[in-house]
Amino acid sequence: MGLPPPVWTREQVAARILAGETLVIVDNQVVRVPQSWLTAHPGGVLAVLHFVGRDASDEVHAFHSVETLKRMQGYVIGRIQTDGDGWDPLLPPIMSGWVRKPGKDDKMEWYNEAKPLHPSKNFPSVSASEMLLVERDECSSHGPSLADLQHPETPLSIELQMRHSRAYTDLHQRVKDAGLYNTPYIKGYGPEFIRYTLLGTLSAILYMKGWLIPSAFFLGLMWQQLTFFVHDLGHLGVTHNWVVDRLTAIFFADFIGGLSVGWWVNNHNIHHLVTNHPTHDPDIQHLPFFAITPVFFQSLWSTYYKRVLTFDIFAKIFIPLQHKLFYVVLSLARFNLYALSYGYLAKTAFEPRRAIGGRWWWWTEIFCLGLYYCWYIAVLRGCGSWGNILTYLLVSHIAACPVHVQIVLSHFSRSTEDVGVTESFFARQLRTTVDVICSPRIEFIHGGLHLQVTHHLFPRLPRHNLRKASLIVKEHAKELGLEYAEFGFVEGNADVRGVLKSVGDQLKIVGMVADANIQDAIKGS
């Protein structure tokens, strides 16, 4: 037997992080992530960087299989020293604007890409616990200090958050014991594949008969329904095997739908881990078309896109009208997904290979996307006139838009406040996510993902089992005094549009105040 791993203090963990090591706390153990593994992590680099110095036990168990957890033991270098309240988390360097990049001779060096946005008289609504980032005027040559790793004051109790974490562990075990990770292939996916086939067949038959608009409509509906299946595959929620689920996802997402599943997984994992955070969650960073919180008026830095979310003249035009343009923008959202997909593939063309499967996934996506454009362009050319081509293009893409409406309902009306890194995974998902109440008879319209709260707590859970799991989650949430939010589809649409209108109205008020200040200054001069 080997010697027991050393016990690490919070100060020792902080010192190693400042020295450039990537350390994450999992099950009271210090896990060191080598640079080679970090860049090859199947879930993306940011999924790890957002938890440097933090206790990521709940997140790691939610996103990884038992086999992966066992392999992770090979990276354990010690245990943590804590008091009775649990681990007091450090602030991950990326959350204060620090990242590591190759410098001279390809040696990894610290780089300060952004700085925290502090409360000011111009923007007093930013609370002391929030770490929102804006672009730096100039980059610092030195690395972060110990002060940069200290999280801001928060009203949250570490002891209470640890209680939530223990409750989540018990909850997760109940879900496992209930057999809810077992995929219902026949009962669950059987009817769905009949639906996919029916929609595709109808589209093809109508196209051959010259009924182009109905054909495009059913093609769009097929894309919309297949999105839910690809979503399951991206979360490894079907066969739970990375290679099988990824290959299947590439076939349906890239070849049939023209979108990159690799991009979607990279984007979606971050959304799950830092849900509704204005600086970190790409799923709420939609300027100039949408802003679901006034903090976007400050031109925040996006740690995902690595650029400023500029609140420019276009945003000032669109945001006051965003509640009116809501459905118009979402109806065309699929075109934006093309741009994001291909931008991601271009960016990752020369990145190090992923840990599983080498580079085949990238080439397979490129190949299947090429096949997609072969068949879809042939379909468009067969429409005849340019008017018919444009009509078929728009109808097929607009018909697939209900999935975009359904997804934003689950988050746009929820909290976007950063209450600090001490918040538990359980509490954070309940605070930032809401279910859409739906009858079991028509839940296929939502793809079963109207139960977003439970899905966010158990992302690998087959969605056909989410309803049963949600009953267990609601029971635990009630015991802990946490809100399990849900609303009807109509009510949800009204709530989201209400949030959009409220933010737009605040922008108008900011504009009026600025105009008044200018007039006062002119009169004073």
Side-chain angles (χ1 to χ4, degrees):
M1 295 179 62
L3 295 174
V7 176
W8 291 51
T9 64
R10 188 172 184 270
E11 291 71 23
Q12 288 173 321
V13 172
R16 294 286 285 267
I17 291 173
L18 292 174
E21 295 191 45
T22 303
L23 305 181
V24 179
I25 310 302
V26 180
D27 297 333
N28 293 324
Q29 297 175 313
V30 182
V31 178
R32 180 181 179 274
V33 184
Q35 184 65 33
S36 59
W37 174 254
L38 179 65
T39 55
H41 182 232
V45 174
L46 288 176
V48 178
L49 295 184
H50 280 301
F51 290 88
V52 171
R54 298 172 62 184
D55 187 339
S57 302
D58 295 338
E59 288 85 353
V60 166
H61 283 277
F63 280 85
H64 298 88
S65 65
V66 174
E67 292 75 17
T68 301
L69 294 174
K70 289 180 180 178
R71 288 197 296 270
M72 199 177 295
Q73 288 298 307
Y75 297 93
V76 172
I77 59 174
R79 295 179 293 109
I80 58 171
Q81 181 185 83
T82 65
D83 54 27
D85 291 340
W87 177 255
D88 184 12
L90 296 163
L91 184 73
I94 194 170
M95 290 191 171
S96 60
W98 289 95
V99 296
R100 288 177 64 76
K101 295 182 178 181
K104 296 180 179 179
D105 301 323
D106 289 329
K107 182 181 178 181
M108 298 300 292
E109 299 177 354
W110 285 109
Y111 180 81
N112 196 196
E113 64 182 8
K115 62 182 179 181
L117 172 67
H118 297 292
S120 66
K121 64 179 182 179
N122 295 325
F123 206 72
S125 62
V126 177
S127 67
S129 66
E130 293 194 85
M131 284 294 293
L132 303 173
L133 300 179
V134 293
E135 188 178 33
R136 290 194 65 86
D137 297 328
E138 57 184 49
C139 295
S140 175
S141 59
H142 64 81
S145 66
L146 182 60
D148 292 314
L149 300 187
Q150 306 307 316
H151 60 78
E153 292 185 9
T154 173
L156 301 180
S157 161
I158 294 180
E159 181 180 6
L160 178 59
Q161 299 308 307
M162 286 300 298
R163 181 187 167 203
H164 292 166
S165 181
R166 289 191 293 269
Y168 175 77
T169 300
D170 294 340
L171 171 61
H172 201 174
Q173 190 59 51
R174 283 190 61 183
V175 169
K176 293 176 183 177
D177 292 342
L180 297 180
Y181 273 98
N182 298 326
T183 303
Y185 291 106
I186 303 300
K187 186 178 179 181
Y189 285 110
E192 291 205 1
F193 272 92
I194 293 174
R195 189 180 309 119
Y196 306 152
T197 304
L198 179 62
L199 291 171
T201 302
L202 280 172
S203 177
I205 291 174
L206 292 168
Y207 181 85
M208 288 186 290
K209 289 183 174 294
W211 297 347
L212 298 181
I213 292 179
S215 171
F217 177 74
F218 283 112
L219 176 60
L221 290 185
M222 184 185 72
W223 281 342
Q224 188 254 0
Q225 286 291 300
L226 283 175
T227 300
F228 303 124
F229 183 45
V230 173
H231 174 276
D232 300 347
L233 293 163
H235 276 299
L236 308 185
V238 182
T239 70
H240 308 296
N241 178 285
W242 192 92
V243 174
V244 175
D245 279 3
R246 178 54 63 91
L247 274 175
T248 309
I250 289 174
F251 176 81
F252 285 101
D254 296 69
F255 171 58
I256 297 181
L259 300 175
S260 165
V261 70
W263 157 75
W264 180 85
V265 170
N266 183 272
N267 176 286
H268 198 65
N269 281 339
I270 301 306
H271 162 68
H272 268 264
L273 293 169
V274 286
T275 310
N276 270 21
H277 194 297
T279 287
H280 306 306
D281 182 1
D283 273 15
I284 64 168
Q285 296 174 346
H286 299 303
L287 287 179
F289 300 107
F290 294 136
I292 64 172
T293 168
V295 300
F296 283 116
F297 301 170
Q298 299 300 296
S299 293
L300 300 181
W301 174 263
S302 169
T303 55
Y304 181 83
Y305 292 113
K306 299 300 179 185
R307 62 176 174 83
V308 177
L309 304 171
T310 307
F311 198 81
D312 55 16
I313 184 62
F314 297 104
K316 292 177 181 178
I317 293 173
F318 283 115
I319 298 307
L321 303 172
Q322 60 181 346
H323 62 293
K324 296 180 179 179
L325 298 174
F326 178 62
Y327 299 111
V328 176
V329 173
L330 290 183
S331 69
L332 302 174
R334 194 174 183 87
F335 293 105
N336 183 52
L337 301 189
Y338 289 140
L340 294 174
S341 290
Y342 310 148
Y344 171 79
L345 290 173
K347 184 179 69 173
T348 56
F350 303 104
E351 282 190 352
R353 68 180 182 87
R354 290 289 181 245
I356 304 175
R359 293 288 296 168
W360 66 260
W361 65 271
W362 190 90
W363 287 109
T364 305
E365 286 209 69
I366 295 297
F367 177 71
C368 286
L369 286 172
L371 293 179
Y372 164 77
Y373 278 101
C374 285
W375 75 258
Y376 190 61
I377 290 176
V379 167
L380 293 178
R381 290 181 62 185
C383 292
S385 68
W386 283 106
N388 286 344
I389 290 174
L390 181 60
T391 299
Y392 197 97
L393 178 72
L394 290 176
V395 171
S396 60
H397 283 68
I398 292 173
C401 78
V403 65
H404 306 302
V405 176
Q406 185 254 316
I407 289 173
V408 302
L409 289 187
S410 297
H411 300 291
F412 271 24
S413 63
R414 298 297 287 168
S415 170
T416 58
E417 183 182 3
D418 176 10
V419 297
V421 291
T422 60
E423 186 178 28
S424 70
F425 175 65
F426 193 15
R428 183 168 64 253
Q429 300 307 329
L430 289 173
R431 177 175 62 85
T432 58
T433 314
V434 58
D435 280 358
V436 177
I437 300 172
C438 175
S439 168
R441 290 175 295 181
I442 61 170
E443 65 184 9
F444 71 89
I445 297 175
H446 297 280
L449 290 177
H450 56 292
L451 299 169
Q452 278 284 303
V453 176
T454 301
H455 166 62
H456 264 249
L457 292 171
F458 308 108
R460 293 182 299 112
L461 199 69
R463 61 184 160 86
H464 304 94
N465 297 333
L466 287 176
R467 183 172 289 278
K468 291 181 180 178
S470 69
L471 300 178
I472 306 175
V473 175
K474 288 178 181 179
E475 178 185 328
H476 271 64
K478 185 176 181 181
E479 290 175 359
L480 293 170
L482 295 172
E483 177 193 20
Y484 188 109
E486 52 187 356
F487 49 35
F489 185 76
V490 175
E491 178 190 356
N493 275 267
D495 280 4
V496 168
R497 293 184 68 246
V499 168
L500 296 176
K501 185 178 186 304
S502 174
V503 174
D505 289 344
Q506 290 181 64
L507 178 59
K508 294 177 182 177
I509 294 173
V510 170
M512 288 188 290
V513 171
D515 290 342
N517 290 338
I518 292 173
Q519 292 297 323
D520 289 342
I522 293 174
K523 292 177 181 178
S525 62

